[in-house]
Amino acid sequence: MSTESTPTVNRPVAGIVAATSTLEGGGFLVYRPFPTPALNWLDPFLLLDEMAPVEYEPGEAIGAPPHPHRGFETVTYVISGEVEHRDSAGNHGIIGPGDVQWMTAGDGIVHSEMPSERVQTEGGVGHGLQLWVNLPSSLRRTAPKYQGITNDQLATAHGEGWTAEVVAGSMFGVTGPASSHTPIGYARVTIQPGTELRIPVADGHTAAIYAFTGTAAVGDSGTAVEPQQLAVFERSAGDVLISVSADASGPLDAIVLTGEPINEPIARYGPFVMNTAEEVEEAFADFNAGRMGSIPATGTV
Ligand code: MN
């Protein structure tokens, strides 16, 4: 047997999607590459929001007061600031810079995602990402679950000119701590000017990168990706290739998403994502009847 390695193949770039700007929750600005008119979803991912960096004065910070979800998972990654989570399953956690909260809404949950009391009192910069991960029909109504993952628990990898923090799945020879219901890869990568990074992805899986700071060129085509843009790769065999030019003004800070497509129809409305419109109506009825619970009153400290 020869030991010669398989020639590497880079995935073609399927397209570049510019994020739209929209207001969410209590009125904070988010950049949203999907769902948008250009890209409804990216199976198995349903939504990606970058909560825009904003400098809050004391008393000004806003978040998302109690609201329900059913049928999928929300993954929050804090870049700056602190987000305090409470939900109707009794979970409570504060996540800070580099921390991740992976919430399985499943059968139904009511949660709030607010700036921590400290940030509300003192102000400061808020900046983060939220990803919605779909569930297959067999798991849509699984029991709600909460995974609070601190930055020091993330799997890290680095090479010349790049570093990575892996939240879920196996990438760069390490495996992230989050447990997911279907095969998913989620990593934050920082790539310095003059560096090329190649990421193997399982054949047929979805692959995309979202740049939140800095610019890069992707694929053999060298297609440009700018901040607040999502590069989507073909679901073919091959690697994701990201290059940051030597004359770039700074590093690329981006997230890499990979996942096995679930390949089921979806019906979505607001906070609910199901397979059929009837199931979405049932979710609204169950929420309105109080069957997704409510957030327990907080005790005094
Ligand atoms: Mn939410």
Side-chain angles (χ1 to χ4, degrees):
M1 286 290 291
S2 104
T3 55
E4 95 190 41
S5 59
T6 314
T8 53
V9 175
N10 297 319
R11 285 182 180 224
V13 178
I16 303 291
V17 179
T20 58
S21 301
T22 189
L23 295 177
E24 265 301 319
F28 55 88
L29 178 68
V30 304
Y31 301 120
R32 175 173 295 169
F34 64 95
T36 54
L39 182 65
N40 185 26
W41 60 311
L42 187 67
D43 193 2
F45 305 108
L46 298 163
L47 169 146
L48 179 63
D49 276 352
E50 177 188 357
M51 284 78 87
V54 55
E55 171 93 51
Y56 290 115
E57 296 295 322
E60 278 191 343
I62 50 177
H67 59 277
H69 291 295
R70 172 182 280 174
F72 60 100
E73 307 185 275
T74 67
V75 182
T76 307
Y77 181 97
V78 172
I79 298 167
S80 303
E82 284 177 351
V83 175
E84 182 162 12
H85 166 98
R86 289 182 193 280
D87 69 41
S88 53
N91 299 302
H92 173 235
I94 297 177
I95 57 170
D99 298 343
V100 177
Q101 174 212 97
W102 193 297
M103 186 192 77
T104 305
D107 193 36
I109 204 163
V110 173
H111 76 157
S112 63
E113 303 153 280
M114 298 296 290
S116 68
E117 197 172 309
R118 187 183 70 74
V119 170
Q120 294 195 43
T121 304
E122 298 173 12
V125 176
H127 186 198
L129 298 161
Q130 185 166 92
L131 176 71
W132 289 10
V133 181
N134 199 16
L135 292 168
S137 52
S138 57
L139 291 169
R140 274 205 197 286
R141 299 193 59 176
T142 189
K145 183 177 158 187
Y146 176 89
Q147 301 173 68
I149 301 162
T150 54
N151 187 252
D152 60 352
Q153 295 173 317
L154 296 181
T156 59
H158 58 89
E160 198 171 335
W162 64 272
T163 60
E165 289 183 329
V166 180
V167 175
S170 294
M171 265 190 262
F172 314 107
V174 297
T175 300
S179 87
S180 62
H181 287 84
T182 60
I184 281 171
Y186 181 176
R188 176 182 180 177
V189 293
T190 304
I191 307 174
Q192 300 298 325
T195 307
E196 189 173 272
L197 185 60
R198 186 185 303 277
I199 307 168
V201 179
D203 290 2
H205 282 206
T206 292
I209 72 159
Y210 176 75
F212 54 92
T213 309
T215 62
V218 292
D220 288 329
S221 55
T223 305
V225 184
E226 306 202 327
Q228 283 71 57
Q229 289 185 344
L230 179 83
V232 181
F233 295 85
E234 299 278 1
R235 283 195 188 105
S236 55
D239 298 349
V240 161
L241 176 68
I242 310 171
S243 310
V244 179
S245 163
D247 43 17
S249 59
L252 172 78
D253 218 340
I255 61 164
V256 179
L257 297 175
T258 68
E260 181 177 50
I262 293 172
N263 287 321
E264 290 179 7
I266 58 165
R268 67 197 297 169
Y269 193 85
F272 305 124
V273 183
M274 306 298 290
N275 290 91
T276 67
E278 291 71 27
E279 290 168 344
V280 172
E281 282 172 32
E282 185 185 13
F284 272 100
D286 284 349
F287 169 62
N288 288 330
R291 287 192 283 269
M292 293 185 191
S294 58
I295 297 175
T298 56
T300 49
V301 181

